[in-house]
Amino acid sequence: MKYISPNQPVQGRPTLPAFGHAMEVLNTVQFFTPFLQQQTCLLRIVNCRGKIVAGFLKEKTMRNSRPSPILFCILATTCIAQPSHVGVRPPAANVIIPQGRPYGLVVGGNPCLRITGVEALIDIFETTATTTIQINIENTTRHRQEAELVIPVPEGVVVRGFAYDGPSGQIEAVVLPKEQARRIYRELVSKIRDPALLEFAGYNLIRTSVFPVEPLGKQRIRLTYEHILRQEGNRIDYILPRSESLQYDVPWEFTVNIRSRHPISTVYCPSHTVHTKHMDQNVVSVKVEREANAPGPFRLSYVIDSEPQEIAITTLAFPDPELAGGYFLVLAGTGKGPQADANTLDREVILVIDRSGSMQGRKVAQAKEAALQVLSGLRPGEAFNLIIYSDSVELFSPRPVLKDEKAMESARSYIQSITAVGGTNLYDALKTALKQPVTEGKLPLVLFLTDGLPTVGATDEPSIRQLAIKSNPHRRRVFTFGVGLDVNAALLQALADLTRAKAEFVLPDEDVEVKVGRVFAQLTGPVLAEPQLRVMGGDRLPTTRVRDLLPPVIPDLFESDQLVLLGQYIGNDPISFELCGQRLSGIRTYRFTLDPAKADKAHAFIPRLWASRKIAQLIDQIRQMGAEGQSSPDDPKMKELTDQIVQLSTKFGILTEYTAFLAKEGTDLHRHDVLVRQTAANLNSRAVRMRSGAAGVSQGLNIQRQMNQMVLNHGNMFLNERMEPVRINTVQQFHDLAFYNRANQWIDARLVGSNTDLKPDRIVDFGTTAFWDLVDRLEREGRQASLAFSGEVLLWLDGQTVLVRMPAGASQ
């Protein structure tokens, strides 16, 4: 086992004695961990015979973030000076790149080693991250195989440990700096003739010496490294490089433990869906299960604040010269501290329950249990009321009542008496809920359940929608729940969107009680009500340098909640923002600044998330036009909206059920007008006309997810009209670009719909000097992954169409 600094020569560098059979430095590298509080550190280095070659060390400076020179001195005296050839030798027969390919890469022949899974444990304290990656591999042949591990890593990485389940022997792990890593990447790409590794050009890498894998055997490899994270203001960022290729399907599990001396306000992961748990105000646990795994780098940011229960805000930006500015993301959140309840607003909750005949049996029973669960979750002193409706509307109380034992006892009896019979008078039920007298000092919420289309009273969609616009004097938030598939999904979504709320759909195999309870749990402890964002110039006056802010109406912020706003900015001067809203103590204003000088090309997820939300907003506008029954593909407004949808979809490679045809072989990508007509026809036949049933609910779920999207959707997953998940693998997103596959040729999205002749202006062949010059050029732009395809790539570069001919049939 060797530890070699990237800043010093490899040859002749002192190295540690070898480890044997899965032995590693027993917490040896504890001294690399800056959060150790012990004044006595046990430093044990064990050689292949199990002999301890170093002992105890008393050091009073262990609280510091850097190891002392004494430690390095003792470490050096226990090492054996010997030359290392890991960084310069030829590649092994099998090269395992856990972030890049499901199989070990081989020079000729078929892959012999398969990666069956990867587990990543990431411990973060302040700005120091310790990452342990366990790679599980298996030998699919009856012959012993030799392999090496190559892992792309960020700059500044120090190896802490390396172990594998294999025979004793000297195993080396070397951190190679960027320039040397670039040479290794190119050597591997050239020898294996697989351009996939080019995606990691620009990263440092860890390379191990060769180790054996027994015939038909399984092997676990464990590598631990440590590095200092980037901090910008109150935000700390972590990244683990992984391939964005849709062909990359190795299952990963991520576990992240974050500790900070300051309260942790929020944790944000734009790359993966995560489960976050605040253990206390200074400790957060984050988990990504295998089923939630997606391609692409694992990105995570956490935001700290000096005071618990305060709202912490940070900004990220991506520069785009085409906009004369770029794209930005605002992240705000508040964690849960010991006094959280004392700093949150009280709620007034009105439960509106459909008891029409179609709710008989299981549905009404679950609705009653949901109502009891919601009332139980209210704090003493919060207010509630119950409204039940079928042909007519009935109230538990003429006005909301405060929660106490007497009110709860009466409410339980009232709920248990509910029976299902009659039609669905949705209009009058909503009108009654909205006109209820408001309880002073409470945040007014409505939980509105229905399982069918309106059949009694005013049943037309425009009239019901107008209630939320014109008959909501107390600005109640209407959280709608569509139970089953026989609901007007577009209407329920509109009622929620118009009132700073969300629509939820309880599918036939789902439980009403569970779904309502989950949403209500998210409404715990309102922290900031009716937030508004003001954009100010350098003179503190309003400015127009921000446009297309999404969502345009900012939702309330609840305890342990987070707010993600996306938009475009113009110019290079700093932009000041003010986030204002109602807190328990009164109106509060939070000021923060976006500095375009800190915009980073590494934040390519920002424009993609913005575009996804914008497309959903445009689709929803067309969908809501269908409520009037006057929309058609020839309508000028619909044409304008559709044109914008096609432009954004093709540019960013973000496809929906209405534009999925763009990914099909045979679709002519040259003719923008043809693409717009096809998209308009799809929108008219589905978004406008299909408002209920499985087709209507699936669209509601798709639009709802996309309008609130915080995490990348690499595979363009959506639900079709049969509620089946659909993924598209012929459109690939790399960094800020997108590519469309046609006959094994990947076409740059900037050439799609441009009416440009796809005949190349010049041709670049794999492995030539011109090819490597192109790699260098794209690496400087952060776009080197554009060449990580097998087959041909058609790029738009400097006003020219460039055909890059890659090796076909590379390892996948």
Side-chain angles (χ1 to χ4, degrees):
M1 160 84 59
K2 294 187 178 180
Y3 297 118
I4 298 178
S5 167
N7 299 317
Q8 300 197 26
V10 173
Q11 296 293 334
R13 176 80 175 133
T15 57
L16 291 179
F19 288 87
H21 196 66
M23 299 186 70
E24 56 183 310
V25 183
L26 172 67
N27 299 330
T28 32
V29 264
Q30 286 180 1
F31 55 80
F32 281 117
T33 310
F35 47 85
L36 284 177
Q37 301 298 315
Q38 298 92 335
Q39 292 192 8
T40 300
C41 173
L42 173 60
L43 177 64
R44 296 203 295 178
I45 302 176
V46 188
N47 67 11
C48 58
R49 293 185 177 87
K51 181 179 178 181
I52 298 176
V53 294
F56 290 92
L57 172 70
K58 291 184 179 294
E59 174 58 59
K60 294 183 178 180
T61 61
M62 292 305 294
R63 296 177 185 271
N64 297 333
S65 60
R66 294 180 179 273
S68 73
I70 299 175
L71 286 172
F72 277 121
C73 180
I74 290 183
L75 176 61
T77 63
T78 63
C79 294
I80 302 171
Q82 56 184 338
S84 173
H85 304 286
V86 171
V88 295
R89 61 164 171 74
N94 295 272
V95 181
I96 298 172
I97 310 161
Q99 300 117 300
R101 280 290 185 261
Y103 288 93
L105 300 178
V106 294
V107 182
N110 296 317
C112 301
L113 301 181
R114 184 171 72 91
I115 304 173
T116 58
V118 182
E119 300 165 21
L121 173 62
I122 303 156
D123 289 305
I124 299 175
F125 179 77
E126 299 287 339
T127 58
T128 301
T130 302
T131 302
T132 299
I133 302 176
Q134 178 172 296
I135 305 107
N136 302 309
I137 63 175
E138 65 178 14
N139 183 350
T140 60
T141 74
R142 297 183 179 276
H143 304 283
R144 192 186 208 201
Q145 299 292 329
E146 290 190 334
E148 66 172 297
L149 189 66
V150 171
I151 297 187
V153 292
E155 288 190 57
V157 160
V158 176
V159 175
R160 276 192 57 185
F162 174 76
Y164 79 105
D165 297 335
S168 302
Q170 180 168 314
I171 304 297
E172 302 175 351
V174 180
V175 182
L176 301 180
K178 188 178 295 185
E179 286 304 317
Q180 193 170 355
R182 181 180 286 109
R183 290 196 295 271
I184 299 297
Y185 286 137
R186 293 191 177 189
E187 179 185 8
L188 290 173
V189 168
S190 298
K191 286 183 176 294
I192 302 168
R193 297 189 63 76
D194 186 342
L197 259 182
L198 293 175
E199 188 173 352
F200 301 110
Y203 282 104
N204 290 7
L205 67 79
I206 294 173
R207 189 182 189 188
T208 72
S209 55
V210 177
F211 56 87
V213 185
E214 299 303 319
L216 299 176
K218 295 183 179 180
Q219 180 79 276
R220 288 184 304 170
I221 309 167
R222 187 168 63 255
L223 175 76
T224 300
Y225 64 83
E226 193 169 83
H227 72 296
I228 303 300
L229 303 181
R230 171 182 173 179
Q231 180 171 2
E232 185 174 312
N234 61 345
R235 189 189 74 250
I236 295 93
D237 299 327
Y238 175 92
I239 182 170
L240 195 160
R242 293 169 71 242
S243 175
E244 289 187 88
S245 172
L246 295 177
Q247 281 70 47
Y248 180 71
D249 59 356
V250 173
W252 280 63
E253 291 183 12
F254 296 93
T255 301
V256 186
N257 300 309
I258 306 172
R259 292 190 293 158
S260 173
R261 295 187 180 93
H262 300 284
I264 300 172
S265 291
T266 193
V267 176
Y268 174 54
C269 180
S271 59
H272 293 73
T273 300
V274 298
H275 302 284
T276 302
K277 183 176 182 180
H278 286 257
M279 313 304 289
D280 61 46
Q281 66 184 29
N282 300 96
V283 180
V284 176
S285 176
V286 181
K287 184 78 173 176
V288 179
E289 304 291 348
R290 286 195 178 200
E291 56 267 25
N293 190 39
F298 177 71
R299 297 179 179 276
L300 183 139
S301 298
Y302 77 94
V303 183
I304 57 175
D305 197 20
S306 57
E307 297 292 336
Q309 287 84 56
E310 274 302 321
I311 296 174
I313 305 174
T314 186
T315 60
L316 301 90
F318 176 86
D320 189 341
E322 291 184 9
L323 297 178
Y327 299 86
F328 70 91
L329 181 150
V330 175
L331 174 63
T334 179
K336 181 176 176 62
Q339 303 298 322
D341 290 347
N343 293 278
T344 59
L345 296 164
D346 281 340
R347 298 162 295 180
E348 175 202 87
V349 177
I350 297 178
L351 269 161
V352 185
I353 301 174
D354 183 350
R355 70 177 193 96
S356 60
S358 57
M359 288 284 290
Q360 283 183 354
R362 176 170 164 265
K363 287 183 185 178
V364 73
Q366 290 179 355
K368 290 158 70 172
E369 290 299 321
L372 292 170
Q373 182 183 12
V374 168
L375 296 187
S376 297
L378 291 172
R379 298 195 299 260
E382 292 189 307
F384 72 90
N385 203 356
L386 298 162
I387 297 175
I388 59 175
Y389 69 100
S390 56
D391 295 316
S392 59
V393 179
E394 301 174 16
L395 288 84
F396 166 70
S397 171
R399 62 182 305 139
V401 298
L402 297 180
K403 179 182 178 180
D404 58 26
E405 283 301 322
K406 183 178 179 181
M408 283 295 294
E409 184 178 350
S410 298
R412 291 189 194 101
S413 298
Y414 186 82
I415 291 169
Q416 294 299 340
S417 70
I418 296 174
T419 57
V421 64
T424 306
N425 192 343
L426 193 151
Y427 179 91
D428 285 336
L430 179 61
K431 183 178 180 180
T432 302
L434 295 179
K435 74 177 184 180
Q436 283 270 287
V438 72
T439 309
E440 191 68 29
K442 315 289 185 189
L443 181 67
L445 309 174
V446 176
L447 304 184
F448 195 100
L449 278 72
T450 182
D451 82 326
L453 302 173
T455 59
V456 178
T459 59
D460 62 294
E461 193 172 327
S463 296
I464 298 173
R465 283 175 47 183
Q466 284 300 309
L467 286 175
I469 299 172
K470 297 182 178 180
S471 302
N472 189 12
H474 306 298
R475 299 191 295 278
R476 283 190 161 92
R477 285 74 165 148
V478 182
F479 291 85
T480 57
F481 296 84
V483 181
L485 301 178
D486 191 24
V487 295
N488 187 328
L491 172 60
L492 297 181
Q493 185 176 338
L495 293 176
D497 291 343
L498 291 168
T499 60
R500 292 181 187 266
K502 293 181 181 178
E504 292 287 341
F505 299 96
V506 185
L507 303 181
D509 59 343
E510 294 181 326
D511 191 301
V512 177
E513 179 188 357
V514 171
K515 204 66 173 279
V516 173
R518 185 180 302 143
V519 171
F520 185 68
Q522 296 169 357
L523 304 180
T524 301
V527 173
L528 192 69
E530 298 192 5
Q532 295 182 351
L533 189 69
R534 294 198 289 260
V535 185
M536 320 295 286
D539 49 6
R540 308 299 302 177
L541 295 176
T543 180
T544 57
R545 290 181 53 208
V546 167
R547 61 191 181 198
D548 281 326
L549 182 71
L550 299 171
V553 178
I554 303 175
D556 302 313
L557 188 63
F558 292 85
E559 181 184 285
S560 298
D561 197 2
Q562 66 180 194
L563 177 66
V564 176
L565 306 177
L566 296 156
Q568 297 178 339
Y569 69 88
I570 303 170
N572 298 314
D573 295 328
I575 302 173
S576 298
F577 292 89
E578 293 181 350
L579 180 64
C580 308
Q582 178 71 45
R583 293 210 68 176
L584 182 64
S585 57
I587 299 295
R588 288 289 303 274
T589 299
Y590 300 87
R591 295 182 173 89
F592 58 98
T593 302
L594 170 68
D595 186 357
K598 296 180 179 179
D600 194 333
K601 282 284 189 181
H603 297 153
F605 60 89
I606 298 177
R608 202 171 301 285
L609 289 174
W610 173 87
S612 189
R613 285 192 184 183
K614 185 64 178 178
I615 290 169
Q617 182 195 48
L618 296 169
I619 291 171
D620 191 57
Q621 288 182 45
I622 292 175
R623 194 169 184 234
Q624 298 307 333
M625 287 168 59
E628 308 293 336
Q630 299 176 349
S631 176
S632 75
D634 297 324
D635 182 280
K637 183 178 180 180
M638 186 169 178
K639 281 185 176 181
E640 180 184 355
L641 294 172
T642 304
D643 184 80
Q644 293 180 59
I645 290 170
V646 172
Q647 287 187 40
L648 291 171
S649 297
T650 53
K651 176 180 178 180
F652 291 95
I654 297 172
L655 305 190
T656 64
E657 57 191 295
Y658 317 105
T659 53
F661 70 93
L662 292 169
K664 291 183 178 179
E665 193 73 50
T667 300
D668 186 354
L669 298 177
H670 295 81
R671 299 284 304 279
H672 179 75
D673 55 338
V674 174
L675 302 180
V676 170
R677 282 199 300 272
Q678 180 63 59
T679 303
N682 291 341
L683 286 164
N684 185 61
S685 63
R686 299 175 194 173
V688 172
R689 301 185 183 279
M690 295 181 180
R691 311 186 73 75
S692 61
V697 172
S698 65
Q699 289 181 87
L701 291 169
N702 290 334
I703 294 174
Q704 181 84 350
R705 174 194 55 78
Q706 198 169 338
M707 289 181 71
N708 299 290
Q709 188 173 340
M710 299 183 186
V711 179
L712 293 173
N713 180 11
H714 286 279
N716 282 307
M717 195 282 290
F718 61 83
L719 297 175
N720 64 16
E721 65 275 9
R722 295 182 297 278
M723 302 292 292
E724 300 166 337
V726 175
R727 288 177 173 82
I728 297 172
N729 59 12
T730 54
V731 176
Q732 174 69 63
Q733 302 165 357
F734 275 135
H735 197 250
D736 63 328
L737 300 181
F739 295 84
Y740 293 78
N741 187 269
R742 289 293 183 273
N744 201 34
Q745 185 180 80
W746 291 93
I747 303 173
D748 191 330
R750 292 170 293 181
L751 295 168
V752 174
S754 62
N755 297 322
T756 302
D757 187 357
L758 295 186
K759 182 178 180 182
D761 297 305
R762 66 186 178 102
I763 298 175
V764 176
D765 286 314
F766 173 81
T768 63
T769 301
F771 175 80
W772 294 117
D773 289 343
L774 180 58
V775 172
D776 290 339
R777 154 77 183 272
L778 293 174
E779 183 185 330
R780 290 193 296 271
E781 298 174 357
R783 291 171 167 173
Q784 64 271 24
S786 303
L787 300 179
F789 294 107
S790 60
E792 295 184 342
V793 182
L794 207 58
L795 282 172
W796 178 250
L797 200 65
D798 297 331
Q800 288 187 320
T801 302
V802 179
L803 176 63
V804 185
R805 294 194 290 211
M806 298 292 195
S811 302
Q812 295 297 314

